Amino acid sequence: MDVRAIGLTIAVVFIAYVAIKLWKAFNSPDGERYLKRRMQGPFVPLTSEEQARDKARKLDS
């Protein structure tokens, strides 16, 4: 084998390795990518009364 064929083989193997790693990272069966978001739940903004109560509670502590 000449040097060009060896270099091409190494490049193809490296690209395949990276592609497989990226595929596994972004297409995991358990959805680990979304696990943090699922555990936190949806964002629900506080009403103005709840904000005032929260601010008063923080000031009292």
Side-chain angles (χ1 to χ4, degrees), residues 1-57:
M1 288 180 98
D2 61 341
V3 176
R4 190 183 309 177
I6 294 171
L8 182 62
T9 304
I10 291 172
V12 168
V13 169
F14 178 74
I15 291 171
Y17 176 77
V18 170
I20 290 170
K21 285 293 187 180
L22 288 174
W23 178 264
K24 286 183 179 181
F26 290 111
N27 294 301
S28 64
D30 299 328
E32 289 132 276
R33 183 163 60 146
Y34 302 107
L35 185 61
K36 185 174 181 182
R37 184 185 306 169
R38 205 172 42 224
M39 296 301 283
Q40 291 175 343
F43 173 73
V44 179
L46 298 175
T47 63
S48 56
E49 297 100 23
E50 289 172 327
Q51 287 177 357
R53 267 188 269 139
D54 193 41
K55 190 173 185 178
R57 182 185 56 81

Side-chain angles (χ1 to χ4, degrees), residues 54-61:
D54 193 41
K55 190 173 185 178
R57 182 185 56 81
K58 286 180 183 178
L59 291 175
D60 288 342
S61 327

